[in-house]
Amino acid sequence: MSKNRINRAKLANSKWTAVAPVRREKHFMVTEVEYDEEGLVVSCSLEAIISKTPYLIDWQELKDTTKWLQGWK
């Protein structure tokens, strides 16, 4: 399994494509990233581009290329 390389500092506003569209939506943008005192990501929120629906996800899932592709494809 290949993995997406993610720079935690550049996670905010990054663009993602869902390999398996969620409710017919496949393009998303990271709208919120919360960090702890040590700079580690605590939570991550994606927003669907078409509907503006927010989704709270485990940011580690973005590393899985079977679920997410970096950028809009």
Side-chain angles (χ1 to χ4, degrees), residues 18 20-26 28 48 55 68:
V22 178
R23 294 184 190 100
R24 295 182 50 193
E25 297 179 307
K26 64 185 220 174
F28 296 83
Y55 296 93
W68 295 100

Side-chain angles (χ1 to χ4, degrees), residues 12-66:
N13 299 316
S14 60
K15 298 171 183 172
W16 296 89
T17 300
V19 172
V22 178
R23 294 184 190 100
R24 295 182 50 193
E25 297 179 307
K26 64 185 220 174
H27 296 124
F28 296 83
M29 182 179 287
V30 175
T31 54
E32 285 185 47
V33 181
E34 186 178 332
Y35 300 94
D36 66 10
E37 301 81 35
E38 287 134 35
L40 299 175
V41 177
V42 176
S43 67
C44 178
S45 181
L46 290 179
E47 184 178 280
I49 297 304
I50 293 174
S51 70
K52 305 293 186 204
T53 304
Y55 296 93
L56 192 62
I57 66 158
D58 176 356
W59 78 277
Q60 298 280 353
E61 285 184 33
L62 295 174
K63 292 182 178 182
D64 187 349
T65 57
T66 64

